[in-house]
């Protein structure tokens, strides 16, 4: 049996309007979680992950913060329909965008709603360690800044240990490479945390790598975009994948380089998935015949892998025929 990756009903206790397009949902749950983790919510049959903005050590309540995405299905539904007293379904917290126990200085770069897990990390690191913490937030304009007063409060409370720098695009455009380089500094062994829009994260990552930062010191949480529909059918099938989904067995062709999830979706099935980055474990299934290799695994423990569990968004078959069974 895999760890509990299933969905649980959780009641919304309160809703806090943070900015015009961002709300925090205070959840009535006592789930254990680590700073930087997220839960995957099932809303109108669609799965989306949202990080905790609360800290497991300094906040008594569990909170997740959701920004409206123009045209987005779930974020808009939550803003328009989710009220105190309502129930939502969510997985247990998961994810590896977490603090390391190394005492190293921590430098974080976040853009827009990327501040959500970063706030949890910053609050926790300040309260539970003596690490030096520096945070650069980037936002379109002053009205878009999320958690401004909370971060200002932390800067006042931890002078000398917490440095906060704000970047607003309205003051002269996007963050530049020299600004990133300068803020990153050169303290040896620094852990860098990055979360925000993809181009923002790509830029910060490139500047850090060009500056000689070891990739293992850069932790990135990718919020991602919805998965594109699978591309057109490749020429030749190279084996078969038997998929047991909702108690029904389907046999679909296997094509080289395709993940189990892609093969299933190409065949018209609708298996569960969310992040498609090997983080959230929403897409897990158990291999009962044959074998698969995961490109990225940030969610499953060794004993789960030994029991045949696989992240289907990352698993490519290594045997011509394979059977995978999704949990009911
Ligand atoms: C680990 C993780 C943690 C996250 N944490 C947070 C968090 O704390 N806070 C937060 O606000 N978000 C977070 N996210 C992002 C969140 O999960 C959603 O991706 C986000 O809210 C958008 O979902 P949506 O359903 O509203 O939009 P979607 O319906 O997914 O649409 C998103 C955008 O894509 C466009 N789009 C939709 N379909 C297509 C298509 N076929 N082709 C082209 N464009 C399309 C839409 O118009 C819209 O602009 C996190 C994501 C991950 C993976």
């Amino acid at each position: 049996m895999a760890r509990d990756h299933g969905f649980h009903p959780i009641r919304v206790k309160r809703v806090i309007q943070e900015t015009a397009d961002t709300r925090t949902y205070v959840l009535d749950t006592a789930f254990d979680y680590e700073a930087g983790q997220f839960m995957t919510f099932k809303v109108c049959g669609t799965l989306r992950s949202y990080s905790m903005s609360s800290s497991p050590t300094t906040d008594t309540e569990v909170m997740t913060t959701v920004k409206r995405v123009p045209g987005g299905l779930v974020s808009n539904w939550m803003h328009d329909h989710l009220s105190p007293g309502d129930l939502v379904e969510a997985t247990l917290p998961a994810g590896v965008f977490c603090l390391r126990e190394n005492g190293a200085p921590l430098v974080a770069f976040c853009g827009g709603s990327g501040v959500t897990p970063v706030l949890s990390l910053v609050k926790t690191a300040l309260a539970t360690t003596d690490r030096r913490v520096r945070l650069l937030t980037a936002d379109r304009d002053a009205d878009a800044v999320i958690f401004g007063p909370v971060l200002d409060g932390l800067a006042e409370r931890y002078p000398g240990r917490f440095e906060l720098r704000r970047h607003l695009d309205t003051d002269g455009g996007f963050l530049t490479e020299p600004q990133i380089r300068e803020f990153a500094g050169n303290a040896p062994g620094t852990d860098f945390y990055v979360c925000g829009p993809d181009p923002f994260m790509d830029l910060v990552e490139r500047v850090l790598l060009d500056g000689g930062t070891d990739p293992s010191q850069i932790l990135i949480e990718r919020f991602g975009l919805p998965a594109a529909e699978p591309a057109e059918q490749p020429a030749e099938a190279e084996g078969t994948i038997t998929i047991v989904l909702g108690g029904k067995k389907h046999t679909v062709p296997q094509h080289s380089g395709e993940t189990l999830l892609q093969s299933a979706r190409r065949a018209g099935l609708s298996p569960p998935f969310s992040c498609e980055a090997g983080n959230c474990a929403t897409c897990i299934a158990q291999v009962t015949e044959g074998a698969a290799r995961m490109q990225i695994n940030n969610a499953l423990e060794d004993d789960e892998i030994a029991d045949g569990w696989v992240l289907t968004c990352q698993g490519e078959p290594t045997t011509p025929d394979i059977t995978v069974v999704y949990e009911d």
Side-chain angles (χ1 to χ4, degrees), residues 200-276:
F200 170 88
M201 292 191 291
D202 291 345
L203 178 67
V204 174
E205 183 181 27
R206 183 162 54 74
V207 171
L208 293 176
L209 291 174
D210 288 352
T213 303
D214 190 291
S216 66
Q217 289 168 245
I218 307 174
L219 290 93
I220 297 186
E221 185 75 307
R222 292 197 178 274
F223 281 4
L225 272 177
E229 288 304 312
E232 74 280 2
Q233 183 86 10
E236 261 181 69
E238 295 170 358
T240 58
I241 304 175
T242 301
I243 299 169
V244 181
L245 178 65
K248 288 201 184 124
K249 196 186 256 191
H250 311 262
T251 299
V252 305
Q254 180 192 140
H255 298 289
S256 158
E258 235 179 39
T259 63
L260 293 163
L261 176 63
Q262 286 169 331
S263 302
R265 294 185 68 213
R266 183 191 295 288
L269 302 179
S270 302
F273 66 92
S274 179
C275 76
E276 287 203 280

Side-chain angles (χ1 to χ4, degrees), residues 69-323:
V69 173
L73 188 67
V74 171
S75 57
N76 287 291
W77 187 91
M78 289 174 85
H79 275 247
D80 294 337
H81 299 285
L82 202 54
S83 305
D86 289 347
L87 281 175
V88 276
E89 284 192 280
T91 58
L92 297 185
V96 293
F97 189 63
C98 297
L99 293 173
R100 292 162 163 174
E101 290 177 10
N102 57 8
L106 192 160
V107 175
F109 292 88
C110 62
S113 59
V115 70
T116 298
V118 170
L119 175 64
S120 177
L121 290 166
V122 166
K123 286 194 281 195
T124 308
L126 289 171
T128 63
T129 72
D130 55 9
R131 298 171 75 167
R132 185 144 191 263
V133 179
R134 303 173 61 232
L135 168 63
L136 188 152
T137 63
D139 289 282
R140 271 191 322 270
D141 54 40
D143 289 342
V145 174
I146 310 169
F147 303 129
V150 178
L151 289 169
D152 286 342
L154 288 173
E156 269 171 36
R157 185 161 168 207
Y158 293 98
R161 262 193 71 207
F162 178 47
E163 180 186 338
L164 172 65
R165 188 173 304 174
R166 285 229 169 78
H167 174 91
L168 299 179
D169 298 343
T170 41
D171 290 341
F174 288 158
L175 195 63
T176 63
E177 294 190 22
Q179 287 170 323
I180 296 167
R181 210 172 295 120
E182 182 267 319
F183 191 75
N186 51 15
T190 299
D191 278 344
F192 293 97
Y193 289 79
V194 190
C195 189
D198 276 339
F200 170 88
M201 292 191 291
D202 291 345
L203 178 67
V204 174
E205 183 181 27
R206 183 162 54 74
V207 171
L208 293 176
L209 291 174
D210 288 352
T213 303
D214 190 291
S216 66
Q217 289 168 245
I218 307 174
L219 290 93
I220 297 186
E221 185 75 307
R222 292 197 178 274
F223 281 4
L225 272 177
E229 288 304 312
E232 74 280 2
Q233 183 86 10
E236 261 181 69
E238 295 170 358
T240 58
I241 304 175
T242 301
I243 299 169
V244 181
L245 178 65
K248 288 201 184 124
K249 196 186 256 191
H250 311 262
T251 299
V252 305
Q254 180 192 140
H255 298 289
S256 158
E258 235 179 39
T259 63
L260 293 163
L261 176 63
Q262 286 169 331
S263 302
R265 294 185 68 213
R266 183 191 295 288
L269 302 179
S270 302
F273 66 92
S274 179
C275 76
E276 287 203 280
N279 292 331
C280 75
T282 307
C283 65
I284 58 163
Q286 194 168 23
V287 176
T288 57
E289 277 177 57
R293 184 176 43 236
M294 288 183 278
Q295 294 151 353
I296 297 171
N297 168 31
N298 290 328
L300 296 181
E301 310 280 358
D302 289 347
D303 57 338
E304 293 175 304
I305 296 169
D307 284 345
W309 293 97
V310 65
L311 302 174
T312 58
C313 75
Q314 298 295 320
E316 290 181 21
T318 51
T319 51
D321 298 303
I322 179 171
T323 300

Side-chain angles (χ1 to χ4, degrees), residues 38 48-51 65-67 70 72-75 116 222-223 226:
F38 60 85
R48 294 284 184 272
S49 301
Y50 292 101
S51 310
T65 299
V66 178
K67 182 170 178 174
L73 188 67
V74 171
S75 57
T116 298
R222 292 197 178 274
F223 281 4

